[in-house]
Amino acid sequence: MKSNEVILVPVDEVHILNPRVRNQTIAEEIRRNIRNVGLKRPITVTLSTDVKIGKKYDLVCGQGRLEAFIDAGETEIPAIVINADKESAHIMSLVENIARRNNSPMELLNGIKYLKGQGYDDAAIAEKTGLGREWIRGLVRLLEKGEERLVSAVEKGRMPLYLALKIATESEAAVQIALTEAHEAGELVGGKLIAVQKL
């Protein structure tokens, strides 16, 4: 098999290394696009080395496309097979997911946490994901400070990620708690938020 050659692989032989819960509207849009114009870009896989999984390939990128083919009853999908070990494939998949602009805040936080755990510094993560270094630093700070209330508020959709990052930079815990509670209660929005930030 030549490098970057597109081949047909059985859909039931592909293991999703880094599964994402996909918004059903987005999933339906992917299915509709494939029905209307066909598959524009093949999925990317690598040969699996994990005999416990029992599948020939590990998915590096293209979960939405793979799921659309499975939903349509297709048995094979065009794929590019790359040479990557499981860890590298997992990191490539994670980076591709982080680089998407429609991530949930928790996917983004967990992805950054995983990359930090693998030894990547802020600059390397920013370069791999296309996100700004300051943004990455803020996420890392939020994770490292163990801001469970802020992370929980982001996870539950009560607070945008940017505000959690802003609150995490405040120096006093009491200020952070007050800001979090005010925002969760809907009391800290728009002009009020800007006024508090200036204080």
Side-chain angles (χ1 to χ4, degrees):
M1 186 177 344
K2 296 175 187 171
S3 178
N4 292 330
E5 180 183 11
V6 178
I7 64 167
L8 288 174
V9 300
V11 296
D12 60 356
E13 285 294 326
V14 181
H15 170 245
I16 300 173
L17 271 178
N18 185 30
R20 299 175 72 219
V21 177
R22 195 170 297 278
N23 176 306
Q24 285 307 304
T25 304
I26 293 169
E28 179 52 38
E29 185 179 322
I30 292 169
R31 289 190 288 267
R32 188 173 50 252
N33 283 341
I34 289 173
R35 280 193 307 267
N36 292 340
V37 297
L39 186 68
K40 295 185 234 177
R41 198 168 43 131
I43 63 171
T44 303
V45 297
T46 188
L47 291 173
S48 179
T49 56
D50 191 342
V51 292
K52 291 183 222 168
I53 300 295
K55 304 227 176 184
K56 185 173 180 179
Y57 303 98
D58 286 329
L59 183 70
V60 177
C61 67
Q63 179 182 338
R65 289 167 272 161
L66 176 64
E67 290 172 345
F69 263 60
I70 292 169
D71 289 348
E74 298 290 338
T75 58
E76 294 181 315
I77 187 167
I80 296 173
V81 182
I82 64 169
N83 185 16
D85 60 39
K86 185 172 183 175
E87 190 63 29
S88 298
H90 185 78
I91 289 172
M92 290 166 66
S93 174
L94 190 62
V95 166
E96 189 223 0
N97 286 345
I98 291 172
R100 293 178 185 278
R101 298 301 178 219
N102 58 354
N103 277 311
S104 80
M106 289 314 294
E107 284 176 327
L108 185 56
L109 285 170
N110 289 330
I112 298 299
K113 186 176 185 179
Y114 180 84
L115 291 173
K116 286 297 283 186
Q118 294 301 309
Y120 291 95
D121 65 15
D122 300 350
I125 295 171
E127 183 180 327
K128 285 181 172 298
T129 62
L131 299 170
R133 272 175 92 168
E134 291 304 314
W135 184 251
I136 296 297
R137 277 195 197 109
L139 289 169
V140 169
R141 190 171 340 146
L142 184 62
L143 292 166
E144 287 176 347
K145 287 180 109 182
E147 301 287 354
E148 289 87 9
R149 282 180 57 88
L150 293 174
V151 172
S152 176
V154 170
E155 186 173 28
K156 292 175 181 170
R158 294 183 188 152
M159 176 181 299
L161 183 57
Y162 80 89
L163 182 58
L165 294 173
K166 177 71 179 163
I167 292 172
T169 62
E170 298 297 331
S171 58
E172 295 181 22
V175 174
Q176 293 178 21
I177 291 169
L179 287 171
T180 304
E181 289 174 351
H183 184 271
E184 288 179 0
E187 298 165 358
L188 189 58
V189 293
K192 291 179 185 176
L193 175 59
I194 293 167
V196 169
Q197 287 174 335
K198 287 179 181 175
L199 293 175

